[in-house]
Amino acid sequence: RTHIDIPLAAPSAEPTIIGLAWQRGIPVFEVSRLKSQATREALAALAPDALAVACFPRLLPPGLLAVPRLGGYNVHPSLLPAYRGPEPLFWVFHDGLEHAGVTVHHLDTGADSGDIAAQQAVALPDGIGYGEAQRRLSDVGGRLLVQVLAAAQAAQLTLRPQPAAAASMAPMPTAADFHIDAGWTVRRADNFMRGLAEWGQSFTVETDDGAALVVAAPTDDETGAGAIPITLADGSLTVRLAHSV
């Protein structure tokens, strides 16, 4: 079924996108089937100038993309075509990059593959957490989207195709992706662990004798309970031991 004509119940005081919409009198609809004719007709009845999505986990069908006169735009937290997919920021931390980024691109039927409308790199200071990084990216992405929509409205928007050969993917991570490689630098391992600490996921690392350890976030208390050094490419990093495996 498609539920398109019933606004969602008023949300709690949490500052969600739904809550912000309700505060401003903007209607919110629940849709179960994006490809249904009812969904397309309901969207067309709103006569939107443009569609805008961010962190939306589903591809919009061509029938919906054809409705707004200015097309649709996605705010994606990476410098596309790098890190297409659902979890780019995790892989930016994992790969030890000093910058993340935001791209606003035109929506097509692919996954994060549409022509680029605007991009901006965002620095990741050492020790920054995932939530704070997300907030910085969201702030930049919101401002870029406003600029893109204004340019589109004025018929002054320039789009450029993504170089497909440079594309990389950012899938949802598994437990195995929380592994600290001994070839990493101390800085990379420290930033990765601190950046992902709020996920509540332990990390694995191999000792010099090949044993596997499960460790928590880095610690500045080198003599505290459970504190152990792990050897990396350019030195050692003190972490808290969870347990061996």
Side-chain angles (χ1 to χ4, degrees), residues 1 33 47 52 65-66 70 77 79 85 90 119 124 139 151 196 208 237:
R1 293 183 302 163
R33 293 183 57 216
L65 295 177
L70 299 177
L79 295 175
F90 171 91
Q119 282 186 317
L124 295 179
D139 180 64
L196 277 297
D208 293 338
L237 177 66

Side-chain angles (χ1 to χ4, degrees), residues 157-236:
L157 182 63
T158 300
L159 300 172
R160 57 185 176 88
Q162 294 188 34
S168 61
M169 300 305 297
M172 291 298 296
T174 67
D177 295 316
F178 286 80
H179 181 71
I180 308 298
D181 191 285
W184 288 7
T185 64
V186 169
R187 182 181 184 186
R188 177 176 175 179
D190 186 70
N191 283 334
F192 177 56
M193 297 177 77
R194 293 184 189 276
L196 277 297
E198 60 197 77
W199 282 43
Q201 172 72 43
S202 296
F203 303 85
T204 59
V205 63
E206 291 184 5
T207 62
D208 293 338
D209 59 5
L213 299 175
V214 178
V215 299
T219 176
D220 297 323
D221 184 2
E222 298 183 359
T223 61
I228 60 166
I230 58 173
T231 302
L232 298 166
D234 60 349
S236 65

Side-chain angles (χ1 to χ4, degrees), residues 3-243:
H3 304 281
I4 193 65
D5 56 344
I6 304 176
L8 294 175
S12 66
E14 293 294 324
T16 64
I17 190 170
I18 294 175
L20 293 173
W22 273 90
Q23 290 174 15
R24 291 159 176 77
I26 299 172
V28 179
F29 301 96
E30 180 181 8
V31 179
S32 61
R33 293 183 57 216
L34 292 173
K35 294 183 178 180
S36 75
Q37 183 65 21
T39 299
R40 189 184 188 286
E41 290 175 354
L43 180 62
L46 297 173
D49 291 321
L51 287 175
V53 300
C55 301
F56 190 64
R58 300 167 63 184
L59 297 179
L60 295 179
L64 292 188
L65 295 177
V67 171
R69 65 183 183 86
L70 299 177
Y73 299 89
N74 179 41
V75 182
H76 185 76
S78 82
L79 295 175
L80 291 172
Y83 301 110
R84 293 175 177 174
E87 199 49 67
L89 188 53
F90 171 91
W91 294 102
V92 167
F93 276 113
H94 177 278
D95 294 345
L97 302 188
E98 295 182 9
H99 288 81
V102 180
T103 301
V104 178
H105 69 89
H106 192 262
L107 284 170
D108 59 16
T109 56
D112 305 320
S113 58
D115 292 348
I116 294 171
Q119 282 186 317
Q120 183 175 326
V122 178
L124 295 179
D126 288 342
I128 191 173
Y130 190 89
E132 176 58 27
Q134 277 193 316
R135 284 187 285 273
R136 295 188 184 197
L137 293 171
S138 297
D139 180 64
V140 171
R143 288 188 283 105
L144 286 181
L145 179 61
V146 170
Q147 294 169 11
V148 165
L149 293 177
Q153 177 73 21
Q156 297 176 344
L157 182 63
T158 300
L159 300 172
R160 57 185 176 88
Q162 294 188 34
S168 61
M169 300 305 297
M172 291 298 296
T174 67
D177 295 316
F178 286 80
H179 181 71
I180 308 298
D181 191 285
W184 288 7
T185 64
V186 169
R187 182 181 184 186
R188 177 176 175 179
D190 186 70
N191 283 334
F192 177 56
M193 297 177 77
R194 293 184 189 276
L196 277 297
E198 60 197 77
W199 282 43
Q201 172 72 43
S202 296
F203 303 85
T204 59
V205 63
E206 291 184 5
T207 62
D208 293 338
D209 59 5
L213 299 175
V214 178
V215 299
T219 176
D220 297 323
D221 184 2
E222 298 183 359
T223 61
I228 60 166
I230 58 173
T231 302
L232 298 166
D234 60 349
S236 65
L237 177 66
T238 302
V239 298
R240 287 184 286 108
L241 177 66
H243 55 81

